[in-house]
């Protein structure tokens, strides 16, 4: 079969909108009657669930933001009694309380369905051997992938992240065909394999499904080349139940959104105005099939573009561009907005350096300055200080030319940047220290 769920993945726009409206009506009534937070918010705007006549009426409702989730920690937004909850995930916040994600059995089933579509579109089939190198535990990545691959009928190896050498040995011994991990951990595995003299290209490994971090197209190509695989993406967030919200198809030109489960909007992050398809802005999600924790107009902070277009894979599901960056990660240097992904794209094109870097924001007087430590390849480093300085200048000029900002590049010795086993830390903001 060509699709995991042909009915929903190839549904006409009209039918999809009808389905969404029906689910949205139910969800609004559901949360209004069960969660005081929503009742108060809707009442403040003078909105009753029965006022929703068409999908566009959703725009009359206020947004939800991350602090709403933190303020109601741990179960203030849960729409069912805890006796009906069968799983609780949480995301590790860097500041403050984590975000909790409770699930009913139905929620787990629909999440598994979304993940199965995601993996099936990536080319994963029941005869595959899937090595799941996402961290298992509270983080939604590990179990989300586990469930999706199990539903397809794959043999899943729940190895979790870390112990990289063992990952490579298992990969060889078990004949792993599919890898699940963060993109930066895939790179760590590729590098370790090269050091061990293991040629990943000669192994049965053929597909990787990566997510939980924003990564550039250049990074995808790098992973594909080093591992000899097709690198596909899974997009999601704890607030929407984990990975599987949107996924790559064989075309790799944007992610298909599981629209029968989530309504997506793009807004101007400053004014909050809804923007038309094709415009870059902040992604907002409404979950329309969840029972325990259906967010309404949740601002993700992720910057992307939505597109309604024909895809050669045959799916009709709305497409979204690869996440450009998180508005939280956006740096303002000399008045110019910069995303780490823009710097990453340029670094990955420089053959003298490794795709390992850290951006450091410092304050000098009143001005913010951006520094970047990037790892030299051994042969670059061995060529001596003059060569190193040349490369540094060359990268600085490239970045000035392409992004329009001054950045101080420093080439650091091979292997001096800590390797990622999960989500990589790419930006250090010394202004906040
Ligand atoms: Zn497609």
């Amino acid at each position: 079969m060509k699709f995991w769920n042909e009915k929903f993945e190839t549904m006409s726009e009209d039918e999809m909108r009808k389905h969404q409206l029906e689910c949205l009506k139910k969800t609004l009534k559901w949360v209004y009657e069960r969660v005081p937070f929503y009742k108060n918010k809707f009442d403040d705007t003078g909105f009753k669930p029965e006022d929703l006549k068409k999908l566009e009426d959703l725009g009359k409702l206020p947004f939800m933001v991350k602090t709403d989730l933190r303020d109601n920690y741990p179960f203030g937004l849960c729409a069912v009694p805890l006796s009906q909850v069968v799983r609780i995930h949480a995301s590790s916040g860097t500041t403050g309380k984590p975000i909790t994600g409770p699930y009913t059995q139905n929620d787990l089933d629909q999440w598994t369905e979304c993940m199965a579509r995601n993996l099936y579109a990536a080319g994963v089939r029941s005869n595959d051997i899937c090595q799941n190198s996402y961290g298992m535990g509270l983080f939604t990545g590990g179990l989300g992938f586990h469930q999706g691959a199990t539903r397809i009928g794959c043999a899943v190896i729940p190895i979790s992240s870390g112990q990289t050498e063992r990952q490579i040995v298992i990969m060889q011994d078990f004949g792993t065909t599919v890898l699940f991990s963060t993109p930066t951990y895939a790179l760590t595995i590729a590098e370790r394999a090269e050091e061990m003299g293991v040629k990943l290209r000669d192994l049965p490994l053929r597909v990787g499904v990566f997510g939980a971090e924003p990564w550039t197209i250049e990074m995808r190509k790098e992973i594909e080349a080093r591992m000899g695989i097709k690198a596909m993406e899974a997009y999601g967030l704890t607030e929407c139940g984990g990975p599987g919200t949107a996924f790559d198809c064989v075309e790799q030109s944007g992610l298909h959104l599981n629209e029968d489960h989530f309504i997506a909007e793009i807004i101007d992050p400053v004014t909050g105005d809804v923007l038309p398809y094709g415009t870059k802005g902040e992604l907002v999600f409404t979950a329309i099939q969840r029972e325990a924790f259906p967010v309404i107009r949740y601002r993700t902070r992720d910057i992307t573009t939505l597109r309604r277009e024909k895809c050669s894979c045959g799916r009709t599901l709305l497409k979204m561009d690869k996440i450009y960056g998180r508005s939280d990660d956006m740096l303002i240097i000399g008045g110019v907005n910069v995303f780490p992904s823009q710097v990453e794209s340029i670094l990955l094109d420089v053959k003298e350096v490794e795709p390992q870097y850290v951006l450091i924001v410092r304050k000098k007087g009143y001005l913010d300055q951006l520094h970047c430590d990037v790892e030299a390849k051994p042969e670059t480093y061995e060529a001596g200080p003059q060569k190193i300085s040349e490369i540094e200048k060359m990268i600085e000029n490239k970045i000035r030319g392409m992004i329009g900002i001054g950045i101080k590049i420093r080439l650091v010795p091979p292997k001096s940047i800590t390797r990622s086993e999960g989500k990589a830390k790419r930006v250090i903001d010394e202004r906040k220290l």
Side-chain angles (χ1 to χ4, degrees):
M1 65 188 182
K2 206 172 162 209
F3 307 98
W4 179 256
N5 187 326
E6 187 162 355
K7 180 181 169 199
F8 284 104
E9 291 181 67
T10 63
M11 194 171 247
S12 74
E13 193 183 342
D14 278 355
E15 264 184 283
M16 183 57 82
R17 286 176 61 89
K18 228 191 271 167
H19 167 87
Q20 286 181 325
L21 183 62
E22 211 172 285
C23 292
L24 181 60
K25 279 180 175 171
K26 265 190 220 159
T27 299
L28 293 185
K29 191 167 178 301
W30 178 265
V31 295
Y32 187 79
E33 287 169 356
R34 285 168 178 80
V35 186
F37 168 85
Y38 289 109
K39 183 173 189 308
N40 297 338
K41 269 202 142 180
F42 290 14
D43 286 349
D44 284 349
T45 5
F47 185 91
K48 294 270 177 276
E50 53 273 22
D51 294 342
L52 186 99
K53 304 288 182 217
K54 51 186 195 303
L55 281 177
E56 287 70 21
D57 292 338
L58 180 63
K60 294 176 183 164
L61 283 167
F63 295 113
M64 281 177 84
V65 291
K66 206 166 222 168
T67 44
D68 290 326
L69 272 49
R70 295 222 161 99
D71 292 348
N72 291 283
Y73 174 85
F75 304 123
L77 295 175
C78 187
V80 299
L82 276 180
S83 58
Q84 286 172 33
V85 169
V86 297
R87 173 93 60 81
I88 302 163
H89 280 284
S91 75
S92 53
T94 39
T95 50
K97 301 274 191 200
I99 282 164
T100 39
Y103 302 74
T104 63
Q105 187 56 54
N106 283 341
D107 291 337
L108 283 188
D109 287 347
Q110 64 107 320
W111 178 23
T112 306
E113 158 70 21
C114 288
M115 265 321 294
R117 284 184 203 175
N118 191 149
L119 298 176
Y120 201 83
V124 178
R125 295 295 181 267
S126 59
N127 55 358
D128 271 311
I129 300 171
C130 303
Q131 186 158 334
N132 189 357
S133 308
Y134 275 105
M136 293 285 166
L138 280 181
F139 169 54
T140 52
L143 280 166
F145 276 81
H146 184 94
Q147 289 157 208
T150 303
R151 179 154 306 176
I152 290 177
C154 309
V156 187
I157 311 165
I159 189 166
S160 194
S161 65
Q163 300 192 56
T164 308
E165 251 171 64
R166 188 161 160 250
Q167 300 268 0
I168 294 157
V169 172
I170 294 266
M171 212 172 254
Q172 289 174 295
D173 292 351
F174 292 11
T176 302
T177 55
V178 180
L179 174 68
F180 306 147
S181 74
T182 59
T184 53
Y185 190 47
L187 212 50
T188 304
I189 294 175
E191 188 182 63
R192 193 77 199 96
E194 285 158 22
E195 287 165 1
M196 289 163 68
V198 175
K199 288 198 171 58
L200 293 180
R201 299 186 138 276
D202 297 343
L203 300 184
L205 193 66
R206 57 179 191 85
V207 177
V209 190
F210 305 117
E213 283 177 329
W215 53 314
T216 54
I217 291 168
E218 290 77 7
M219 176 68 92
R220 181 175 77 206
K221 287 182 185 151
E222 173 85 18
I223 295 172
E224 289 184 332
R226 283 173 93 149
M227 296 191 126
I229 60 170
K230 201 96 184 118
M232 309 294 275
E233 181 158 10
Y235 169 83
L237 53 166
T238 308
E239 297 90 319
C240 288
T245 307
F247 56 88
D248 249 333
C249 67
V250 66
E251 210 179 73
Q252 289 181 305
S253 66
L255 311 176
H256 286 288
L257 186 83
N258 276 317
E259 273 187 280
D260 50 325
H261 293 270
F262 300 96
I263 296 176
E265 299 170 276
I266 289 288
I267 62 161
D268 179 319
V270 179
T271 63
D273 293 339
V274 176
L275 302 174
Y277 290 158
T279 320
K280 197 195 282 180
E282 183 182 338
L283 186 59
V284 172
F285 277 128
T286 299
I288 51 172
Q289 290 210 45
R290 304 193 72 205
E291 293 176 338
F293 186 42
V295 289
I296 310 293
R297 299 200 89 199
Y298 181 69
R299 290 183 63 158
T300 63
R301 322 295 291 167
D302 284 340
I303 305 295
T304 185
T305 307
L306 296 175
R307 285 178 285 118
R308 177 74 67 192
E309 64 181 27
K310 232 182 152 69
C311 188
S312 67
C313 76
R315 287 178 187 79
T316 51
L317 297 170
L318 191 64
K319 278 176 102 169
M320 64 180 235
D321 283 347
K322 235 169 154 10
I323 298 296
Y324 194 66
R326 309 210 79 175
S327 55
D328 298 346
D329 296 337
M330 193 181 79
L331 305 165
I332 303 173
I333 305 295
V336 180
N337 298 346
V338 187
F339 284 101
S341 60
Q342 290 172 283
V343 179
E344 180 179 296
S345 305
I346 294 172
L347 292 177
L348 275 147
D349 265 345
V350 179
K351 62 178 192 320
E352 291 88 351
V353 299
E354 290 288 343
Q356 302 287 348
Y357 66 94
V358 188
L359 293 164
I360 308 144
V361 195
R362 296 195 177 114
K363 206 153 192 92
K364 191 171 180 197
Y366 291 107
L367 292 176
D368 289 334
Q369 281 196 328
L370 188 58
H371 297 247
C372 180
D373 286 356
V374 54
E375 228 179 73
K377 285 208 173 128
E379 56 275 24
T380 312
Y381 205 74
E382 281 153 20
Q386 187 168 347
K387 178 76 181 168
I388 290 174
S389 160
E390 258 171 46
I391 307 288
E392 287 170 345
K393 286 274 158 314
M394 181 264 284
I395 299 174
E396 286 171 4
N397 286 335
K398 261 187 182 230
I399 292 178
R400 189 172 296 110
M402 293 175 81
I403 315 179
I405 54 160
I407 180 170
K408 190 83 197 105
I409 296 285
R410 184 173 67 146
L411 255 56
V412 296
K415 312 281 182 251
S416 59
I417 291 176
T418 315
R419 295 299 185 259
S420 159
E421 293 189 349
K423 295 191 193 194
K425 181 138 184 68
R426 295 296 202 193
V427 182
I428 299 170
D429 194 343
E430 292 188 347
R431 295 169 305 179
K432 290 177 191 159
L433 295 178

